[in-house]
Amino acid sequence: MAPSKVDSPPPAPLTFAMPKSLNESLASSSSPPREQNSIYPLDSKPGATYAHQDALSKLPIPELEDTCRKYLEAVKPLQTRREHADTRAAVHEFLKTDGPELQERLKKYANNKSSYIEQFWYDSYLNYDNPVVLNLNPFFLLEDDPTPARNNQVTRAASLVISSLSFIRALRLEELPPDKVRGTPLCMYQYPRIFSTARIPTENGCVMQSDPKARHIVVMCHSQFYWFDVMDDNSDIIMTERDLCQNLQAIVDDAVTTPIHEAAKSAVGVLSTENRRVWANLRDVLTREGADSNNSECLRIVDTALFVLCLDSTSPKSGAELSMNMLCGTNVVERGVQVGTCTNRWYDKLQIIVCKNGSAGINFEHTGVDGHTVLRMTSDVYTDTILRFARTINGNAPSLWASTSPDPSKRDPASFGDVCTTPHKLEWTMVPELSMALRFAETRLADLINQNEFETLEFNHYGKNFITSMGFSPDAFVQMAFQAAYYGLYGRVESTYEPAMTKVFLHGRTEAIRTVSDKSVEFVRKFCENAPAAEKVEALRRACVKHSATTRECAKGLGQDRHLYALFCVWQRGLDEEAQSSDYSPPSSPSSSPSPSAYSPLSSSPPPGSRTRSFSTASTTSITGSPPQKSPPVVPSIFSDPGWDKLNNTILSTSNCGNPSLRAFGFGPTAADGLGIGYIIKDESISISVSSKHRQTRRFVDTLHAYFLETRHLLRAVQPRAVAVPPQRKAEAAGEERVKAAAAARKGASGGRVLRTPGGRGEDAESEGSGGGSGMSVAGDGSDGETGMLGGYGYFDAGSFGHLLRKQGRGGQGKGDQKRAVGRKIRLAEY
């Protein structure tokens, strides 16, 4: 049976429908009916997975005055006094004029919606025109498989596929346990959108389409496409892990027989990295021969696949190389031909990426799912790979799943139904127009990759355990590290974004935490001064308490960003509908579809204008007696004020998403001069992935490393307390003490100063106040002077503090049957 056609309407539960007009919504807002696009059929009883859906409350619409107060609080630290006075005046006028009307229109619009922000949020992503690679799609880098036999490409890929199919089966049978946080159930609406879903570009924006009965996967190898079925109509797995290994090895062997130049000519996947309107036009070229053409069928197979498995030909080793490969692939040109992994991708779907050496990761399309949802899937997949290995040792080992598929090796093959488990290669019909477009897409992608750089910090000196033992929230603690490191480099604070999960509400997504506050500014200034350690720690504590309080408010859906964005969208839609009912053509700016960042919408800059009512119907008559003309609509004052742009121009875009199954997590920068920071806080370590458009990313990471070490020293000096130390750390510490004692003895005997080698350990550097560019010291009076994070020109050269140092006199330191015939059947290798 073939996958359903791309241009057929998707099933109701998984349709990303365009909304009714605003006036239609307002006219039909008497009483909220039960959702007609519920995740489960209306006549069925929900299984375990969706058992709590009907009990979930809707995301609250905050009070307008509260939102405006929080907005002013969030933008204040980013402004001068005069700028903030102007913003306060704009907010005051908004509250007296447009605000209350927009608030009432939003409430009426949301009355029969699952969430007041949901459709606006989808629109912000689906109307995004720029390439999704490096702009929207995040990545996860998995930890290596602890079973050595699986740490090669084919076995690791087969294992991950089997576990992913088990997850899909549990989800389709509604046996997947629902997410909970401290016993509170979370919305599970996003999960079916992970698999067999594709982002389809059209000339009017993108649409999301899904095939809930899909049962095949697509495999990419050397930029070539293969497919085969892996499930039956009952969502049972029809291949053993060994069968999968055989198929994947056959694909690898077949792919390498295609000369590199020929493979490059049909690397259609690179087209998914193009501008979305360009990609929409190219899909029209691919399908111009009709819905039954070869290319149309190839597209349907890719679009409706459960997911795409990318088998890469490289073996990146460092954290930065692995992060880059999972996020955007590598850019390697040989004899004028792109041979990097960047063309071995299809960015409109979920991708499982496995390198030659078995390193694995996930790159996912972000429109319908958030990081927390994909993290649960990834974690369950990783855990299942371990438990399946455990069951080969002890048959009584536990399983994640309430039920499992019958063993395919013990089933009658006739029971599988109309399936095709032999891999077939998709062979695209390349016309000159496509070949030329493919070439240009590749060069533009190579440019895009070269415009970005990636660095990672795998900080192993301490993690969650130490931070909590000192009385701090781990997330707030790390957020303040980003603030201090940036301030230490540039002497200023910038708009910072962190998502707070709101899945405790029906169809909840995220709210924006604005990290920068008066308390955080006070802290970073104090930290960079020659102040006593106790004052620095106290300032850090106040900043962390403030950040934690803001986080709790946002998790309750009471932040300001999503509410203001919804009001902005309501104003835009009202403007569009007024324009449609008149001859007036609205201004091109602000855009009707603000662009999202990796995790937050970045609105276009509204044009300046007088601060009068936006919905005014006043008309004017010219002196010459010409017919009356409508006044051009003006932007509500709060959105035309520069403070709105300043807050939404996110320079530090951050996200905390991970657990021990992941080695790293990250995404691209959301602003041309910004940093994309993904981080994972583990018990004894902190993993941070940083991306930017060449903004001294390595230097920022080094500064973070130095800050973490210095802060530990400060905390130990100010509030020493018993901290559980891992045995490995104890052994290391004992060895270090022996080395220090021996060094001291030699010093006493020789009467000279011991010279340290450049490769000294971080702990030594901390205790000695130098070494490796990451050393710190705390002076006897509890101050750090100019050492530590700020010590030396390599870490700190902000002009304001240069003045401070000079003042102190100090110097810097240094589809059916038809589908069966699609593609060329390849011979299976013996495995």
Side-chain angles (χ1 to χ4, degrees), residues 18-33:
M18 293 302 289
K20 296 187 293 186
S21 71
L22 186 60
N23 290 336
E24 288 177 315
S25 296
L26 298 177
S28 61
S29 60
S30 54
S31 62

Side-chain angles (χ1 to χ4, degrees), residues 265-287:
K265 293 177 182 178
S266 60
V268 177
V270 73
L271 299 179
S272 69
T273 70
E274 267 285 17
N275 173 281
R276 303 309 291 178
R277 294 185 185 273
V278 174
W279 179 206
N281 291 332
L282 293 173
R283 284 182 65 103
D284 289 341
V285 174
L286 280 166
T287 59

Side-chain angles (χ1 to χ4, degrees), residues 578-585:
E578 283 185 3
Q580 291 173 7
S581 63
S582 67
D583 294 332
Y584 176 74
S585 178

Side-chain angles (χ1 to χ4, degrees), residues 409-480:
S409 64
K410 298 179 180 179
R411 288 179 61 183
D412 180 355
S415 68
F416 296 159
D418 181 22
V419 298
C420 180
T421 58
T422 302
H424 283 65
K425 182 178 180 179
L426 297 181
E427 296 181 319
W428 304 85
T429 302
M430 301 300 296
V431 297
E433 186 176 352
L434 277 178
S435 298
M436 188 67 71
L438 192 151
R439 168 66 172 174
F440 294 153
E442 181 273 308
T443 56
R444 279 191 284 267
L445 174 59
D447 268 354
L448 188 59
I449 293 173
N450 285 339
Q451 291 164 10
N452 292 268
E453 63 180 359
F454 315 88
E455 293 291 347
T456 59
L457 171 62
E458 298 185 66
F459 184 79
N460 296 315
H461 302 291
Y462 63 86
K464 175 183 176 181
N465 289 341
F466 172 78
I467 298 171
T468 54
S469 74
M470 292 293 170
F472 291 90
S473 157
D475 182 72
F477 184 91
V478 174
Q479 282 288 328
M480 291 309 116

Side-chain angles (χ1 to χ4, degrees), residues 221-222 224 226 251-266 425 427 824:
C221 187
H222 288 274
Q224 300 163 79
Y226 303 81
I251 288 172
V252 171
D253 293 344
D254 181 80
V256 297
T257 64
T258 303
I260 184 173
H261 287 75
E262 294 302 314
K265 293 177 182 178
S266 60
K425 182 178 180 179
E427 296 181 319
R824 173 172 58 83

